[in-house]
């Protein structure tokens, strides 16, 4: 153990954080325990003492070997669908006395379950961070001293296929992810370190001396499901050392995937040999159940997001693609749709507990069938539970109001976001890909809703690691082969490449992650050079425009978003402007800044010349084109006219917003600056098939990929109904309706609630770098509202009434560490 003492004078109150460089003497060759004591002296000479204990990472984990069970090392793709039991790798070891500390560092690919002396060590599922394993491999660390006993101990690690050994399925009917992901046979790298005090340490590495066993899962796949048998297999097998993935081993920092909420599904129908259950909410999750000892046979469980008119499961919205290959004896055909199914083979006269381990399903409805049986046995199943499963992100914002519709919309947004986060940001629970465009559209709302710093760093690293040799950013990370409208081989469309500078800017502005972003500056510069290398006349075709817009049409079987050519050209200007903004903070003297300024000016001039009409609109004047033009800063002297025409168009459409994922997200940013909060509120509460309330009509408590009134029927019928891309409104709820708007770096707070007609009260809460901030406003009379705000000490803030700013900090009184504004204050109702 080493102690480090640091003295630091308290910074001015407006500074919320400071970086402390620990002495270089802390660089050790092995895992060490450290205690850092920080003494902070304020202006009056008072000293605050803070202490933190931590352990260093393990620099010796590379001494362990990647191991696996020796099965057929060379299989053809169709053989993947043959039953093959999961791999269990284990090591027996003897201890005379219990160690002071015992750490196990491990990486189990694709997913793993760790047990010590038969007890599960972790409460996480789908455990192992999904990434490009050829570039980086994350390992986890557990302190397991409390699970050891004197005498013989055993460590067991079961391996699931996960994303490291996916089936050769054709997702969306054409993308075989095995051909693009870094894949291999499930394998384990681990190191057990037992410290008995002083220099007495015992280390056990994974090697060929580990034993191997056969698990009870006959099949497992992230898209399909799992097949389980209650009978164990005892035949001998050999453990072998293999090459393993080539990525750099580094400790994982992101929150893990956990079971966060349990549901007791309701029986809605039973006939002959099947039962259908309703979870009552659409979740991305897993199931668990107990099966009676008297049953022998096979149970099949199918999962779907909706049911049809006959009350049977409708798999339309959850089918991710086709098998794409004939499965031989498994009776799988090339064109068979991928339906999420689990199977249990029960052969013993013994009660059985089953639960999912290495897959998750997107479902609200569950069908349980008894194969080769005409009648569903009585008391067959008990303790049936459905679990919501997602990355355990801390929620940092809450919202409630007198409107049940608004409350339901807020929660649906949170639900859908979390349903689609499993160690990276996914688009939906059907495809499960990390699309950059979806991340861009939701970035601000994710920042408001969750603590996402480490997850953003990990996702940014995923895109950096998948950067193409020419500098392009892929459509998804990890890369799965999709490059629709990408400007060059492997690169994604321009709007999806916007993810790279946008995440970098968020990390820089919100979290002051300067050293992290600077460590990738060469990647960012390479991307800029790549973008600047294109001629405008070519790159203006290389994007999907405002994807998801209700104004989308289909021509000759192809999807055309509104004013797609104009929006694509504008997206090129937007991504260059994003980089200009980033580098003015990151590296003001960079020679690329002048080149970007020139390119942006040239591109804007060409866009205006090609698409602008003197009447004050671009292209054909769709809602998307107006928002893109304003967000892309294409207009200056004519800005008032363009804004006027946009509002006139929205009024004509009775404030039904038809933009896609980018336009909708940016609209929640632009329209409040035009005094249109009253109409945003009208849109969010609109009781219509065209609106969010139309999405919520199903009672699924989640959002859909498209609005129900989407005119492109062929697309709509097959779209996901568990898709987060339109949940960007979360930011507006907190910053405008509640009225708590923090600056990007959390150094300043503006308080400006929007008093919506028809609401009696609104309450919101956010977490800042200073602590919790809460605000509640309620109607006091027909003309006035009462507002109560709790603000942490040290945070500068302003209350804004109409266009006047009033500093009210001195009116606050100190109560248990927060400033509460004196009693309450009244704000006369505003029109907007």
């Amino acid at each position: 153990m080493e102690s480090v003492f640091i003295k630091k004078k308290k910074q001015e109150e407006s500074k919320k954080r400071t970086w402390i460089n620990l002495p270089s003497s802390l660089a050790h060759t092995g895992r060490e325990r450290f205690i850092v004591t920080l003494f902070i002296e304020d202006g009056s000479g008072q000293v605050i003492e803070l202490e933190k204990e931590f352990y260093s990472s393990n620099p010796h984990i590379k001494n362990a070997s990647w191991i696996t069970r020796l099965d057929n090392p060379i299989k053809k793709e169709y053989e993947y669908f043959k039953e093959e039991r999961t791999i269990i790798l284990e090591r027996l070891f003897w201890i005379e006395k219990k160690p002071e500390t015992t750490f196990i560092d491990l990486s189990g690919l694709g997913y793993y379950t760790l047990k010590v002396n038969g007890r599960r060590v972790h409460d996480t599922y789908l455990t192992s961070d999904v990434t490009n394993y050829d570039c980086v491999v994350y390992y986890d660390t557990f302190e397991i001293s409390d699970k050891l006993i004197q005498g013989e101990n055993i460590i067991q690690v079961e391996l699931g296929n996960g994303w490291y050994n996916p089936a050769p399925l054709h997702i969306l009917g054409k993308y075989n992810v095995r051909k693009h992901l870094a894949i291999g046979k499930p394998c384990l790298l681990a190191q057990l370190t037992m410290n008995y005090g002083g220099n007495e340490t015992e280390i056990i590495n994974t090697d060929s001396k580990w034993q191997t066993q056969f698990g009870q899962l006959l099949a497992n796949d992230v898209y399909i499901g799992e097949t389980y048998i209650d009978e164990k297999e005892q035949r001998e097998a050999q453990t072998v050392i293999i090459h393993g993935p080539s990525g750099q081993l580094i400790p994982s920092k992101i929150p893990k995937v956990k079971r966060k909420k349990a549901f007791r599904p309701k029986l809605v129908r039973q006939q002959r040999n099947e039962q259908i259950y309703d979870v009552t909410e659409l979740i991305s999750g897993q199931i668990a159940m107990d099966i009676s000892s008297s049953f022998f046979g096979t149970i099949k469980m199918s999962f779907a997001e909706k049911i049809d008119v006959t009350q049977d499961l409708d798999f339309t919205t959850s089918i991710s693609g086709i098998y794409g290959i004939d499965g031989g004896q498994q009776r799988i055909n090339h064109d068979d749709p991928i339906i999420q199914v689990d199977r249990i083979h029960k052969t013993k006269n013994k009660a059985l507990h089953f639960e999912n381990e290495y897959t998750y399903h997107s479902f609200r409805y569950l069908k349980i069938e008894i194969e080769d049986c005409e009648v569903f046995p009585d008391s067959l199943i008990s303790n049936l539970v459905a679990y919501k499963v997602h990355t355990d992100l801390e929620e940092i914002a809450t919202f409630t109001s007198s409107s049940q519709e608004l409350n339901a919309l807020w929660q649906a947004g949170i639900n859908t976001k979390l349903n689609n986060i499993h160690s990276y940001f996914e688009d939906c629970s059907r495809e499960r890909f990390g699309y950059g465009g979806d991340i861009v559209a939701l970035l601000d709302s994710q920042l408001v809703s969750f603590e996402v710093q480490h997850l953003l760093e990990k996702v940014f690293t995923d895109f950096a690691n998948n950067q193409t040799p020419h500098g392009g950013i892929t459509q998804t990370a990890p890369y799965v082969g999709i490059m629709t409208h990408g400007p060059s081989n492997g690169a994604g469309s321009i709007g999806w490449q916007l993810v790279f500078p946008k995440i970098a800017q968020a990390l820089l502005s919100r979290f002051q992650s300067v050293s992290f972003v600077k460590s990738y500056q060469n990647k960012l510069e390479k991307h800029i050079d790549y973008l600047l290398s294109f001629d405008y006349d070519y790159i203006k075709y290389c994007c999907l425009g405002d994807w998801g817009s209700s104004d989308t049409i289909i021509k000759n079987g192809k999807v055309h978003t509104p004013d797609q050519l104009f929006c694509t050209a504008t997206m090129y200007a937007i991504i260059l402007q994003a980089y200009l903004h980033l580098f003015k903070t990151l590296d003001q003297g960079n020679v690329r800044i002048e080149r970007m300024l020139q390119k942006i000016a040239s591109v804007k001039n060409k866009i205006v010349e090609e698409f602008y009409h003197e009447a004050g609109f671009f292209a054909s004047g769709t809602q998307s084109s107006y928002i893109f033009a304003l967000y892309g800063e294409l207009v200056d002297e004519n800005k008032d006219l363009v804004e006027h025409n946009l509002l006139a168009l929205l009024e004509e459409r009775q404030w039904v917003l038809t933009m896609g994922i980018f336009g909708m997200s940016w609209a929640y940013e632009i329209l409040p600056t035009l005094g249109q909060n009253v109409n945003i509120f009208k849109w969010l509460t609109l009781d219509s098939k065209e609106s969010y309330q139309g999405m919520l009509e199903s009672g699924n408590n989640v959002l859909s990929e498209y609005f129900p009134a989407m005119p492109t029927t062929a697309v709509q019928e097959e779209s996901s109904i568990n898709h987060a891309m339109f949940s960007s409104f979360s930011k507006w709820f907190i910053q405008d309706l509640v009225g708590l708007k923090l600056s990007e770096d959390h150094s300043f707070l503006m308080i400006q609630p929007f008093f919506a007609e028809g609401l009696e009260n609104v309450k919101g809460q956010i977490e800042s770098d200073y602590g919790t901030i809460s605000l509640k406003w309620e109607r006091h009379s027909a003309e006035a509202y009462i507002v109560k705000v709790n603000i942490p000490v040290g945070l500068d803030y302003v209350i804004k009434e109409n266009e006047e700013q009033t500093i009210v900090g001195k009116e606050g009184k100190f109560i248990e560490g927060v400033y509460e504004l004196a009693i309450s204050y009244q704000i006369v109702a505003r029109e907007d």
Side-chain angles (χ1 to χ4, degrees):
M1 180 186 78
E2 181 164 337
S3 295
V4 181
F5 301 94
I6 300 172
K7 286 188 176 181
K8 195 83 176 176
K9 284 192 174 181
K10 187 177 180 182
Q11 302 294 312
E12 63 272 21
E13 284 192 348
S14 63
K15 293 284 282 185
K16 64 197 177 305
R17 66 172 70 185
T18 185
W19 297 104
I20 299 173
N21 296 318
L22 298 178
S24 58
S25 61
L26 293 190
H28 281 256
T29 57
R31 174 180 281 114
E32 297 285 346
R33 177 189 177 205
F34 296 98
I35 296 178
V36 175
T37 305
L38 180 64
F39 299 93
I40 303 176
E41 182 180 340
D42 65 15
S44 64
Q46 183 178 356
V47 176
I48 302 171
E49 181 179 337
L50 303 173
E51 188 172 279
K52 178 70 175 178
E53 175 182 306
F54 65 92
Y55 287 85
S56 63
S57 60
N58 182 7
H60 297 309
I61 188 173
K62 294 179 182 179
N63 294 337
S65 300
W66 287 100
I67 61 173
T68 191
R69 186 179 68 209
L70 179 60
D71 299 311
N72 180 4
I74 303 174
K75 293 194 302 184
K76 295 185 180 296
E77 281 198 335
Y78 74 88
E79 292 182 278
Y80 180 95
F81 298 108
K82 290 183 177 180
E83 291 184 348
E84 183 174 66
R85 290 176 180 255
T86 47
I87 298 168
I88 296 177
L89 297 161
E90 60 186 30
R91 176 65 187 265
L92 290 167
F93 60 100
W94 186 276
I95 58 175
E96 296 291 342
K97 63 176 182 178
K98 291 191 68 173
E100 289 184 4
T101 60
T102 303
F103 291 94
I104 183 167
D105 303 282
L106 77 160
S107 180
L109 303 180
Y111 294 133
Y112 72 84
T113 302
L114 169 65
K115 292 182 179 180
V116 175
N117 293 327
R119 295 164 55 194
R120 189 186 185 103
V121 170
H122 48 97
D123 62 350
T124 63
Y125 292 83
L126 309 177
T127 310
S128 194
D129 300 350
V130 179
T131 187
N132 182 345
Y133 305 111
D134 278 344
C135 296
V136 63
V137 178
Y138 295 99
Y139 69 87
D140 301 318
T141 300
F142 300 95
E143 212 292 331
I144 59 172
S145 295
D146 62 335
K147 294 176 176 59
L148 299 181
I149 59 175
Q150 284 184 300
E152 188 176 71
N153 293 264
I154 183 170
I155 292 174
Q156 293 177 312
V157 181
E158 183 179 40
L159 301 174
N161 290 315
W163 289 95
Y164 190 58
N165 189 33
L169 306 171
H170 286 197
I171 307 304
L172 299 177
K174 53 187 173 181
Y175 298 106
N176 182 347
V177 296
R178 286 186 69 87
K179 295 186 182 299
H180 301 284
L181 296 176
I183 63 169
K185 186 175 177 63
C187 54
L188 170 69
L189 181 141
Q191 185 173 83
L192 181 71
T193 307
M194 293 175 284
N195 180 16
Y196 293 93
N199 295 322
E200 186 182 356
T201 301
E202 182 180 357
I203 294 176
I204 298 176
N205 292 317
T206 43
D207 56 26
S208 57
K209 296 178 183 178
W210 283 54
Q211 302 300 307
T212 189
Q213 301 292 338
F214 295 85
Q216 292 177 260
L217 283 174
L218 303 177
N220 69 96
D221 182 80
V222 291
Y223 286 108
I224 304 170
E226 297 174 324
T227 301
Y228 178 90
I229 188 168
D230 63 348
E231 188 176 25
K232 294 184 178 180
E233 186 168 334
Q234 302 295 338
R235 63 187 171 97
E236 292 185 2
Q238 182 181 349
T239 300
V240 291
I241 295 174
I242 61 173
H243 185 271
S246 57
Q248 178 188 5
L249 278 164
I250 63 173
S252 171
K253 295 195 299 183
I254 68 171
K256 295 300 179 184
V257 176
K258 292 186 177 182
R259 293 174 173 174
K260 296 301 297 179
K261 186 176 180 181
F263 297 83
R264 294 286 181 177
K266 298 179 180 179
L267 180 64
V268 294
R269 195 189 78 178
Q270 177 170 333
Q271 63 180 30
R272 295 191 300 275
N273 66 335
E274 66 182 40
Q275 291 180 337
I276 292 180
Y277 290 87
D278 181 359
V279 178
T280 70
E281 183 175 301
L282 207 170
I283 66 172
S284 295
Q286 300 178 330
I287 63 164
M289 67 175 71
D290 292 323
I291 303 168
S292 68
S293 59
S294 60
F295 174 76
F296 298 89
T298 298
I299 301 174
K300 176 184 176 183
M301 294 155 290
S302 306
F303 302 82
E305 296 176 341
K306 60 182 181 178
I307 53 177
D308 59 25
V309 293
T310 68
Q311 297 293 292
D312 202 357
L313 269 59
D314 182 343
F315 302 107
T316 309
T317 63
S318 56
I319 291 174
S320 52
I322 60 175
Y323 279 86
I325 198 168
D326 293 329
Q329 294 180 349
Q330 301 303 312
R331 291 177 294 179
I332 292 172
N333 297 314
H334 179 282
D335 295 323
D336 286 348
I338 303 165
I339 295 174
Q340 300 173 43
V341 172
D342 293 333
R343 280 186 170 86
I344 302 170
H345 301 303
K346 190 170 181 299
T347 65
K348 296 183 177 181
N349 185 19
K350 183 179 179 181
L352 171 65
H353 178 76
F354 169 82
E355 58 184 68
N356 287 131
E357 285 284 348
Y358 307 119
T359 190
Y360 69 91
H361 304 288
S362 179
F363 69 109
R364 175 174 172 176
Y365 298 96
L366 166 66
K367 179 195 284 189
I368 302 178
E369 301 173 79
I370 311 303
E371 296 187 349
D372 302 321
C373 183
E374 294 184 358
V375 179
F376 201 97
D378 293 333
S379 304
L380 169 65
I381 294 168
S382 59
N383 299 320
L384 175 62
V385 184
Y387 296 100
K388 183 179 288 190
V389 176
H390 56 76
T391 294
D392 188 19
L393 291 176
E394 177 189 356
E395 293 185 38
I396 60 173
T398 60
F399 172 88
T400 57
S401 74
S402 58
S403 166
Q404 294 306 311
E405 291 79 12
L406 274 184
N407 297 343
L409 181 56
W410 166 267
Q411 193 58 53
I414 296 294
N415 290 344
T416 320
K417 291 175 191 290
L418 291 174
N419 276 349
N420 295 290
I421 304 176
H422 298 88
S423 87
Y424 61 99
F425 300 104
E426 305 157 42
D427 65 319
C428 66
S429 296
R430 180 186 62 178
E431 293 179 44
R432 307 182 181 186
F433 295 150
Y435 284 98
D438 296 70
I439 296 171
V440 168
L442 298 184
L443 183 56
D444 288 343
S445 64
Q446 304 283 22
L447 287 165
V448 167
S449 305
F450 308 111
E451 174 50 64
V452 291
Q453 178 180 359
H454 292 312
L455 186 58
L456 281 180
E457 289 174 350
K458 185 262 180 190
V459 170
F460 180 83
T461 301
D462 287 340
F463 279 100
N465 287 339
N466 275 130
Q467 189 172 33
T468 69
H470 293 102
I473 300 301
T474 54
Q475 194 100 340
T476 69
Y479 178 61
V480 294
I482 299 175
M483 46 187 168
T484 311
H485 285 215
S488 66
N489 187 31
S493 54
I494 293 301
W496 278 248
Q497 294 194 48
L498 183 59
V499 68
F500 208 44
K502 281 294 187 180
I503 292 183
Q505 184 64 58
L507 290 171
L508 206 61
S509 301
R510 168 63 190 91
F511 302 109
Q512 291 77 55
S513 300
V514 179
S515 59
F516 176 85
V517 176
K518 276 191 170 294
S519 70
Y520 287 95
Q521 184 167 335
N522 63 327
K523 295 270 191 177
L524 293 163
E525 291 174 343
K526 187 176 182 179
H527 191 210
I528 292 172
D529 293 340
Y530 168 82
L531 293 169
L532 291 174
S533 69
F534 290 101
D535 285 336
Y536 164 80
D537 287 331
Y538 171 79
I539 200 135
K540 70 180 181 181
Y541 292 97
C542 299
C543 191
L544 295 163
D546 199 12
W547 184 259
S549 167
S550 298
D551 291 331
T552 296
I553 59 174
I554 294 181
K555 291 181 179 179
N556 300 322
K558 292 185 177 181
V559 174
H560 294 267
T561 56
D563 289 327
Q564 185 167 331
L565 186 59
F566 164 74
C567 289
T568 295
T570 305
M571 188 65 84
Y572 184 46
I574 287 171
I575 193 171
L576 292 175
Q577 289 175 125
Y579 265 120
L580 180 64
H581 179 52
L582 174 66
F583 269 72
K584 282 184 176 180
T585 304
L586 185 67
D587 185 6
Q588 294 182 8
N590 197 291
V591 296
R592 291 167 181 79
I593 289 179
E594 183 60 34
R595 292 170 58 200
M596 284 190 285
L597 284 168
Q598 294 175 3
K599 190 76 167 185
I600 290 168
S602 170
V603 168
K604 284 185 176 181
N605 286 337
K606 290 179 179 179
I607 293 173
V608 171
E609 181 179 345
E610 182 175 1
F611 295 104
Y612 183 67
H613 302 272
E614 291 185 0
F617 65 95
F618 288 83
S620 67
T622 59
Q623 292 185 21
S624 293
S625 67
Y626 278 109
I627 294 296
F628 268 64
L630 292 172
Y631 190 80
E633 300 176 352
L634 296 182
V635 288
D636 187 9
E637 59 185 30
N638 295 322
K639 185 179 179 182
D640 289 344
L641 177 60
V642 172
E643 291 173 345
H644 174 271
N645 288 343
L646 167 62
L647 298 182
L649 174 63
L650 293 174
E651 190 66 36
E652 180 184 334
R653 286 297 310 269
Q654 297 181 322
W655 285 89
V656 173
L657 304 191
T658 61
M659 307 89 158
I661 59 174
F662 299 109
M664 193 73 73
S665 177
W666 298 336
Y668 296 131
E669 179 180 336
I670 292 170
L671 292 175
T673 67
L674 303 180
Q676 298 304 314
N677 277 330
V678 64
N679 285 313
I680 295 177
F681 176 75
K682 178 181 178 181
W683 156 243
L684 294 175
T685 56
L686 181 66
D687 186 11
S688 165
K689 287 282 188 182
E690 301 173 293
S691 70
Y692 285 104
Q693 298 305 317
M695 285 188 184
L696 299 181
E697 189 177 17
S698 64
N700 288 332
N701 294 330
V702 294
L703 303 178
S704 305
E705 185 171 5
Y706 302 112
F707 287 94
M710 181 91 165
T712 53
T713 306
V715 174
Q716 176 71 10
E717 288 178 350
E718 299 176 359
S719 64
S720 170
I721 55 174
N722 188 8
H723 203 302
M725 69 185 190
F726 278 113
S727 62
S728 51
F729 53 74
S730 305
K731 181 179 178 181
W732 183 86
F733 270 72
I734 297 299
Q735 295 192 353
D736 293 277
L737 186 55
V738 176
L740 295 175
K741 186 171 185 177
L742 281 161
S743 59
E744 274 189 326
D745 63 357
H746 278 214
S747 63
F748 181 80
L749 171 70
M750 185 170 74
I751 303 167
Q752 188 180 20
F754 165 61
F755 303 116
E757 184 177 350
L759 286 182
E760 294 300 316
N761 59 73
V762 163
K763 182 177 181 181
Q765 179 174 296
I766 56 176
E767 298 298 326
S768 73
D769 291 333
Y770 292 96
T772 303
I773 305 169
S774 64
L775 183 149
K776 180 179 180 180
W777 63 258
E778 56 188 352
R779 185 183 298 275
H780 179 64
S781 66
E783 298 180 348
Y785 295 81
I786 295 175
V787 181
K788 295 182 179 180
V789 191
N790 286 344
I791 305 173
V793 176
L795 178 60
D796 292 338
Y797 59 94
V798 162
I799 288 183
K800 191 171 183 181
E801 305 180 30
N802 294 326
E803 297 305 317
E804 298 179 2
Q805 293 186 354
T806 306
I807 304 293
V808 297
K810 293 182 179 180
E811 298 178 13
K813 57 183 179 179
F814 190 70
I815 301 177
E816 297 181 355
V818 274
Y819 281 121
E820 182 174 313
L821 300 180
I823 308 175
S824 63
Y825 66 92
Q826 295 183 347
I827 298 180
V828 177
R830 295 178 289 121
E831 292 182 357
D832 60 341

